[in-house]
Amino acid sequence: SIHPITQTLEEMVEIFAAQGFALAEGPDIEDDEHNFEALNFPHDHPARQMQASFVLPSGADGTKWLLRTHTSP
């Protein structure tokens, strides 16, 4: 038997697909470049504030990592 949550999600995907939307999946962790810079978010934009973004420790190469925000990378 299918779990009720799984069934609900599948039904939602079908409803939105019927309206022309597509399901897209991506990484949960994003670098600053793809999450903000490539979308031209200014450095003082509220989405970049610490309370709006979950910033992770920088990579060995200095890359700034964060949990993907409500933006659309």
Side-chain angles (χ1 to χ4, degrees):
S1 111
I2 297 176
H3 192 279
I5 294 174
T6 302
Q7 182 178 355
T8 301
L9 288 172
E10 288 177 359
E11 290 174 8
M12 290 172 59
V13 170
E14 288 176 19
I15 291 168
F16 280 100
Q19 296 177 24
F21 290 90
L23 176 64
E25 295 184 28
D28 292 327
I29 298 175
E30 197 65 86
D31 62 14
D32 186 73
E33 173 64 28
H34 290 96
N35 201 66
F36 295 122
E37 292 293 327
L39 297 171
N40 297 318
F41 273 72
H43 288 277
D44 60 348
H45 191 279
R48 288 181 179 249
Q49 296 175 359
M50 292 298 287
Q51 67 268 23
S53 297
F54 294 98
V55 180
L56 304 171
S58 295
D61 62 356
T63 301
K64 294 180 184 178
W65 294 102
L66 57 142
L67 292 183
R68 189 181 224 181
T69 61
H70 58 276
T71 61
S72 301

